[in-house]
Amino acid sequence: MRKSCLICLLCLWFAGLAGCQKPAEPKAGVSTARASAMPGALSVASFEGQVATSQAAATLTYSGPLGLVMGITEAELTNKLAYSASDKVRHLYTGTPPRPMADFSDYFALATPLSGVCKIGGYARFDTVNGNGEQIRAAADRMAASLEEKYGKPSKKKDAISADVYRRKPQYWMVGLKEGSVSYGYRWAAGKTVKDLPDDIMNIIVYAQAETIHQGGVGVIYEFSNYADCQKELKKEKTTKL
């Protein structure tokens, strides 16, 4: 299972907090356990836990997204849920959650000593993506449609292009996504949705990511209400070690 794409993205988010190092760029043409580019991939019916419980965590499932909840301890993640600590990002763990999502290959959980789990997510990878990003944009839309059934309409849809060249030449959309001039996704924010977000969830984020100009993926992130406390712990750790 490839985790470099997920860890790389998380490194960018946690840089300055967790002191990570960026892993090597994924090489084109390498096949992994992944979401295929078939029209049925990431279907609404299969999203968010309507698949078999993972073998590693078959006896321990919580009520929140992916079968996890806020505050699970680091020891519980590793000892009972069989997650492994990342060697790139402090307090970041990877593994298979109790309720994995169909077509997703990578999962993470961020947990700190005092706050426990404060952020979780999953990632689905496409080995072949058109220059206009058709496959991953469609997958993000399907994922958002599934989440909308459970959580109501998103607070915001982001479809941004900061460099005009990618508006004029949409066939290079993936190039823009890779360099950060293009972004695509959805967000549900607590207090800004028609339905209240359950299970201590503060934000749900669906995002598109380019690994190369021909490969990419779609992910979902759940931030819990203790995420700010996690950030404070990470900042304090970094300051202490300086």
Side-chain angles (χ1 to χ4, degrees), residues 126-141:
F126 292 79
D127 279 341
T128 305
V129 181
N130 295 339
N132 62 10
E134 176 185 5
Q135 293 89 343
I136 57 177
R137 285 189 287 115
D141 292 343

Side-chain angles (χ1 to χ4, degrees), residues 38-238:
M38 297 186 298
L42 299 174
S43 64
V44 170
S46 68
F47 187 68
E48 210 187 54
Q50 296 186 30
V51 294
T53 300
S54 69
Q55 184 175 359
T59 61
L60 187 61
T61 302
Y62 296 94
S63 60
L66 308 182
L68 301 171
V69 289
M70 182 181 80
I72 296 172
T73 66
E74 291 178 290
E76 194 168 33
L77 275 176
T78 55
N79 297 334
K80 295 183 179 180
L81 292 166
Y83 273 62
S84 299
S86 167
D87 58 358
K88 300 288 194 301
V89 183
R90 295 197 312 275
H91 304 302
L92 182 71
Y93 298 84
T94 57
T96 304
R99 292 203 305 268
M101 296 176 287
D103 302 312
F104 275 58
S105 58
D106 300 303
Y107 301 89
F108 81 92
L110 178 68
T112 53
L114 297 179
S115 302
V117 167
C118 58
K119 188 171 188 174
I120 60 175
Y123 183 79
R125 184 171 186 269
F126 292 79
D127 279 341
T128 305
V129 181
N130 295 339
N132 62 10
E134 176 185 5
Q135 293 89 343
I136 57 177
R137 285 189 287 115
D141 292 343
R142 289 193 295 271
M143 196 180 300
S146 175
L147 288 167
E148 186 173 331
E149 290 182 1
K150 183 171 184 178
Y151 300 109
K153 289 186 177 297
S155 310
K156 182 179 181 180
K157 177 181 179 179
K158 188 171 186 180
D159 185 3
I161 300 176
S162 61
D164 188 58
V165 61
Y166 302 119
R167 292 191 185 88
R168 291 184 284 105
K169 297 183 177 182
Q171 67 269 31
Y172 298 121
W173 189 88
M174 282 292 290
V175 177
L177 186 64
K178 182 70 173 63
E179 70 175 27
S181 298
V182 169
S183 57
Y184 192 86
Y186 297 81
R187 179 188 289 270
W188 286 254
K192 297 182 179 180
T193 56
V194 175
K195 297 181 181 179
D196 291 336
L197 297 180
D199 302 313
D200 297 302
I201 298 170
M202 289 298 292
N203 290 289
I204 305 171
I205 301 163
V206 173
Y207 64 90
Q209 180 189 358
E211 298 173 39
T212 72
I213 62 173
H214 301 298
Q215 294 174 307
V218 176
V220 61
I221 290 173
Y222 298 86
E223 292 179 350
F224 294 111
S225 58
N226 63 343
Y227 181 54
D229 294 329
C230 274
Q231 290 179 303
K232 290 178 183 177
E233 285 188 68
L234 294 171
K235 288 179 180 178
K236 186 175 181 179
E237 277 191 14
K238 183 182 179 184

